[in-house]
Amino acid sequence: MGFRKDFAFGAATAAFQIEGAWDEDGRSRCVWDDYSHTPGKVFGNHNGDTACDHYHRWKEDVALMAQYGIPNYRFSVAWPRVIPGGKGAVNEKGMDFYSRLVDELLAKGITPWMTLFHWDYPSALEDLGGWRNPDSVKWFEDYTDIVTRRLGDRVKKYITFNEPQCFLGLGYAVGAMAPGVQLPLEATVPMCHRVLLSHGAAADVIRRNVRGAEVGYAPCGGPSIPASDDPADVEAARKAYFDIADVSRYIMSVSWWSDPAVLGVYPEKALKQLEKYLPRGWEEDMPRIARPLDFYCQNIYYGSRVRRADNERGYETLEPKVGQTKTACQWMTEPESLYWGPRFLYERYRVPFVISENGMSCHDAVSLDGKVHDPNREDYMHRYLLQFRRAAEDGVDARGYFAWSLLDNFEWNSGYNERFGLVYVDYATQRRIPKDSLAWYSRVIRTNGEDL
Ligand code: NOJ
């Protein structure tokens, strides 16, 4: 059986992580500029000022994708590049950049998948309170309107938000990512509600402006993997994946972000304790949040093993096995997360499913032969893709898989210290060196995953 004939294999990036040109052609600052320019926040005090210089080298990067037969490219638009004030005047030069990029992709037969928001929130809006401000929904709606009016004749596939768990949860609750603040529940709960409302509003705007639009959403969450085939363990893992056992961690959960967007409800248990913080009249907002989706995405990298237990929750999460394989950034390798994650998510949400990110950081290096050999990455992707194909064969409506990432890039708090790319970037010269895994992935794509 295998993947559908029209299965979308691709590679992904995000604006802040690759573009650089942070103050060029009218771009203004975003929260990640401010955060990374604050000493001590990011590994080695790295920042996105130059990144992969993709703003100037985009043609070369598109040519590489074309050369290796990558048929789909997921990238994001930098809001502060196209609307420097966050709202109001459009920066034509910024908009032109994306317009030329899209033209080039299409000319090379590559389908653009555009993420509207991948964390680079305009500082000008953050100064007005950002997601704390009730107007933030309108700001996002207007931004989406402007982008889709300009590019919607050519871009048909959209992802509204990338990983709200991270930009809101880590950004405003845990305080471990930009802007790096720790707000209490009474502040973060309404902020989440506004992000969800913005997602719904954007979905409507996209459909209004773009003929033939397809709308998606890309949250995250490491799946719970049953510790054995025993149906009791499978049930325990299913429960654990959507459970919000500790309400203080609600913002990092799967169900808090996906149940409202897809099912139109907040998860019951969490709601009981958090309802008091939601804006008055929140119930009437729910139909505006749960707008129809054409595809539902997840970024999945790892998972944890869960088994049934005689405790209040009915399950327990196991420690990683002794000697468990892991990636350079210490994430546990769990290929089955690409089987159980898609399965549990598809069972619950019943929306065509896309893996919007998967991949690994390796200790990549240029060898004496001038090449970058990364057998670990090939093996990782191979194992994960086999599991995703198994999920497709077992009934998940699997529509696509995006490797993270096309290029080594700015890995947020880790700066340039982690390399996730299929293409190696020598930051001193900005030279690109395709890694072995890119050639391998190219062959997988050519056979639609049949000879995995
Ligand atoms: C999630 C994020 O969407 C992406 O920006 C990040 O680089 C990768 N995962 C790897 O951490």
Side-chain angles (χ1 to χ4, degrees):
M1 251 180 73
F3 292 121
R4 297 164 58 103
K5 292 270 162 295
D6 59 355
F7 186 81
F9 280 103
T13 62
F16 190 83
Q17 297 179 268
I18 63 165
E19 285 179 4
W22 75 296
D23 60 353
E24 218 175 298
D25 289 344
R27 180 190 179 278
S28 68
R29 285 181 297 111
C30 72
V31 294
W32 271 96
D33 292 306
D34 300 335
Y35 184 81
S36 59
H37 287 164
T38 308
K41 293 293 186 191
V42 170
F43 175 89
N45 291 323
H46 298 171
N47 56 48
D49 294 6
T50 308
C52 308
D53 196 30
H54 174 77
Y55 189 72
H56 300 112
R57 292 166 196 265
W58 54 278
K59 244 191 180 161
E60 180 190 342
D61 294 335
V62 174
L64 261 177
M65 278 192 281
Q67 186 190 334
Y68 282 85
I70 307 276
N72 295 279
Y73 178 47
R74 174 183 174 218
F75 63 100
S76 77
V77 172
W79 187 346
R81 198 180 286 292
V82 296
I83 311 177
K87 58 188 173 110
V90 175
N91 176 25
E92 293 302 335
K93 283 189 175 166
M95 196 59 92
D96 263 11
F97 167 70
Y98 296 106
S99 186
R100 280 182 276 126
L101 172 64
V102 166
D103 284 344
E104 183 72 7
L105 288 167
L106 293 173
K108 293 272 195 286
I110 300 169
T111 304
W113 294 57
M114 184 186 279
T115 308
L116 286 163
F117 185 69
H118 201 126
W119 307 2
D120 38 8
Y121 198 73
S123 303
L125 297 182
E126 186 65 14
D127 291 346
L128 299 177
W131 300 107
R132 305 166 191 81
N133 189 325
D135 292 344
S136 53
V137 180
K138 179 84 176 86
W139 300 335
F140 190 73
E141 189 176 351
D142 291 347
Y143 158 65
T144 305
D145 184 52
I146 287 167
V147 171
T148 52
R149 272 179 201 275
R150 297 295 180 95
L151 303 172
D153 55 337
R154 289 157 290 157
V155 178
K156 304 296 173 186
K157 299 188 192 277
Y158 292 89
I159 292 169
T160 56
F161 283 95
N162 180 74
E163 297 195 350
Q165 285 93 339
C166 292
F167 74 82
L168 254 204
L170 297 179
Y172 297 89
V174 181
M177 278 193 167
V181 291
Q182 287 178 301
L183 303 177
L185 292 176
E186 54 260 47
T188 57
V189 171
M191 289 165 82
C192 293
H193 192 69
R194 282 175 207 127
V195 169
L196 287 164
L197 271 171
S198 305
H199 158 79
D204 285 350
V205 169
I206 295 167
R207 283 192 207 289
R208 193 183 66 213
N209 290 349
V210 182
R211 188 176 318 165
E214 289 180 40
V215 182
Y217 172 52
C220 61
S224 303
I225 302 164
S228 78
D229 293 342
D230 183 337
D233 284 344
V234 174
E235 193 41 44
R238 182 182 287 115
K239 181 162 188 237
Y241 195 27
F242 298 104
D243 195 17
I244 304 180
D246 173 2
V247 85
S248 72
R249 300 266 310 159
Y250 81 101
I251 206 163
M252 302 308 295
S253 72
V254 171
S255 54
W256 180 262
W257 290 104
S258 289
D259 283 12
V262 189
L263 307 176
V265 291
Y266 278 109
E268 211 181 305
K269 220 166 79 185
L271 186 64
K272 263 195 206 131
Q273 294 183 60
L274 301 177
E275 184 179 355
K276 56 179 177 285
Y277 304 127
L278 281 167
R280 207 156 352 115
W282 65 270
E283 293 95 330
E284 281 96 77
D285 292 339
M286 299 317 282
R288 292 197 282 135
I289 289 173
R291 308 306 294 150
L293 288 177
D294 298 286
F295 55 95
Y296 170 87
C297 311
Q298 278 266 329
N299 298 342
I300 297 181
Y301 291 86
Y302 48 75
S304 44
R305 301 262 158 190
V306 169
R307 72 170 169 225
R308 194 198 69 83
D310 291 322
N311 57 23
E312 212 183 297
R313 296 176 184 176
Y315 63 84
E316 65 185 357
T317 304
L318 306 183
E319 289 299 322
K321 297 190 287 280
V322 174
Q324 169 86 40
T325 46
K326 55 192 169 127
T327 70
C329 64
Q330 307 295 316
W331 293 355
M332 300 297 158
T333 310
E334 280 287 6
E336 277 186 72
S337 54
L338 240 57
Y339 176 76
W340 290 103
R343 232 185 101 159
F344 290 152
L345 291 161
Y346 186 66
E347 270 172 19
R348 189 173 177 101
Y349 299 124
R350 310 306 296 180
V351 180
F353 186 87
V354 172
I355 289 290
S356 37
E357 284 181 29
N358 172 246
M360 77 182 291
S361 66
C362 291
H363 294 297
D364 296 314
V366 185
S367 293
L368 282 174
D369 63 4
K371 298 187 175 148
V372 178
H373 305 292
D374 57 342
N376 289 354
R377 182 171 287 107
E378 266 177 51
D379 187 66
Y380 175 105
M381 289 172 72
H382 196 158
R383 288 173 190 270
Y384 275 68
L385 274 166
L386 279 172
Q387 292 294 335
F388 193 34
R389 194 176 69 183
R390 179 160 79 98
E393 287 166 350
D394 284 356
V396 172
D397 187 357
R399 300 293 179 100
Y401 171 94
F402 287 81
W404 184 269
S405 172
L406 175 66
L407 303 169
D408 289 340
N409 60 44
F410 178 81
E411 177 54 21
W412 308 114
N413 284 349
S414 303
Y416 301 97
N417 196 40
E418 300 294 343
R419 294 183 176 273
F420 275 85
L422 297 169
V423 175
Y424 183 93
V425 176
D426 174 0
Y427 293 107
T429 60
Q430 290 295 345
R431 184 161 159 238
R432 274 65 166 146
I433 305 174
K435 300 179 191 175
D436 288 357
S437 58
L438 179 60
W440 173 84
Y441 188 42
S442 173
R443 289 195 295 277
V444 171
I445 296 171
R446 225 178 302 132
T447 61
N448 202 39
E450 262 158 41
D451 60 358
L452 275 168

